[in-house]
Amino acid sequence: MQKYYEIKTNKGTLRGYFHQPDIDKYPVCLIFHGFTGSHLGTKFSYVTISRLLEEKGIGSVRLDFLGTGDSDLLFKEMTFKDELESGEIILKEVSSLPQVSDIYLLGHSMGGAVASELAKVYPHDIQKMCLWAPALNLSDALEYLKGHVVEAPTYNHGGFETSNAFVEDIISRDFYKDLDTYKNSLMIIHGTKDTTVPYNISEKYLKGYYHPDFHPILDATHNYDDLDHINEVINLTIEFLSKK
């Protein structure tokens, strides 16, 4: 059953959907979208995945982060810190529900970085984690904005107004640090023609994570802009999350 779902934070309300299997107890996958993404996912993939997981007795929660989609705040008002804190609130609230047996995480791009950082803090509370092209290169990717605009309160990032506070927060972080804190089941999927999170950074993060199951998608872009590619990503994800 797909139900509207919202969670309060100290900065505003997160809104989206909770997919609930018709059984007494089940694991729930928390889905974290990427920068400029939404609870729908690239090619509506989060909707597809949530419905397929429900058929297999697995719930899912897919919410827009603050400043995105239907959730509170403007895009320029959000920071990575806000997203990480929101992820923590989602984790705690969903974990406390009596029908929830286990917690899984799925994150794409910056959502993958949020999931990865959250797993460092709660390594024993997350039983499975699936990352699509985790944007652990964010600090380097956004550093260029500082060189192009001096003392700007906001930046024009491809039509999205992005705050200097967001950029400063990102470039102060080392996303590669302590990756091996999380030691439960981990699968990473990365397209070999990804230019947003360049495929070659996988060499770096694969050395940091503890025994990751890695799946390169040949010729795939960051958002899997080919039907065969997105279908492969969805199938791998469902297989991983539903495996006993």
Side-chain angles (χ1 to χ4, degrees):
M1 178 172 55
Q2 178 178 334
K3 296 177 62 176
Y4 170 77
Y5 191 60
E6 62 179 42
I7 292 180
K8 307 284 187 184
T9 77
N10 61 355
K11 287 193 173 182
T13 300
L14 305 169
R15 298 182 179 88
Y17 291 95
F18 193 164
H19 293 254
Q20 301 172 317
D22 188 21
I23 52 179
D24 293 336
K25 202 86 169 175
Y26 50 84
V28 173
C29 181
L30 311 180
I31 302 177
F32 298 150
H33 66 76
F35 185 63
T36 74
S38 77
H39 70 277
L40 300 175
T42 177
K43 316 300 178 290
F44 309 127
S45 54
Y46 300 159
V47 182
T48 301
I49 284 170
S50 294
R51 292 173 179 171
L52 290 173
L53 287 176
E54 185 180 340
E55 292 176 2
K56 294 181 177 293
I58 300 170
S60 60
V61 171
R62 49 186 181 90
L63 304 175
D64 289 325
F65 280 121
L66 293 173
T68 302
D70 292 317
S71 294
D72 286 350
L73 300 188
L74 299 174
F75 189 78
K76 66 179 180 180
E77 295 176 304
M78 71 87 183
T79 64
F80 187 87
K81 181 173 181 282
D82 292 331
E83 296 208 353
L84 188 55
E85 289 177 349
S86 292
E88 183 174 18
I89 291 168
I90 297 168
L91 173 65
K92 288 182 176 179
E93 177 151 331
V94 175
S95 296
S96 70
L97 298 175
Q99 71 270 35
V100 176
S101 60
D102 296 295
I103 292 291
Y104 305 158
L105 297 186
L106 168 60
H108 181 202
S109 194
M110 191 166 83
V114 173
S116 180
E117 290 296 289
L118 195 61
K120 295 175 186 177
V121 183
Y122 299 96
H124 305 297
D125 299 303
I126 299 159
Q127 283 69 47
K128 293 184 181 183
M129 182 163 65
C130 179
L131 305 178
W132 299 356
L136 306 190
N137 65 323
L138 274 170
S139 300
D140 295 331
L142 292 184
E143 179 70 47
Y144 80 94
L145 288 175
K146 303 298 294 179
H148 286 272
V149 185
V150 179
E151 297 180 355
T154 62
Y155 303 97
N156 178 357
H157 188 81
F160 288 90
E161 191 173 13
T162 307
S163 72
N164 183 60
F166 170 79
V167 174
E168 291 286 359
D169 181 7
I170 288 291
I171 64 179
S172 70
R173 296 176 182 269
D174 181 359
F175 293 101
Y176 296 99
K177 184 179 179 181
D178 298 328
L179 291 177
D180 61 352
T181 301
Y182 177 76
K183 291 180 169 60
N184 287 338
S185 296
L186 170 63
M187 183 174 74
I188 303 175
I189 300 170
H190 204 152
T192 63
K193 288 191 176 178
D194 189 337
T195 57
T196 303
V197 180
Y199 177 73
N200 61 7
I201 75 162
S202 64
E203 295 179 7
K204 184 173 181 179
Y205 64 60
L206 288 174
K207 292 177 182 177
Y209 284 118
Y210 179 79
H211 293 169
D213 181 9
F214 183 61
H215 291 271
I217 308 296
L218 186 63
D219 294 333
T221 61
H222 186 63
N223 286 316
Y224 310 106
D225 299 309
D226 180 272
L227 184 59
D228 288 340
H229 295 158
I230 191 63
N231 282 340
E232 185 176 358
V233 170
I234 290 171
N235 290 336
L236 284 168
T237 301
I238 294 297
E239 182 181 1
F240 170 71
L241 293 176
S242 61
K243 185 176 182 180
K244 301 298 185 182

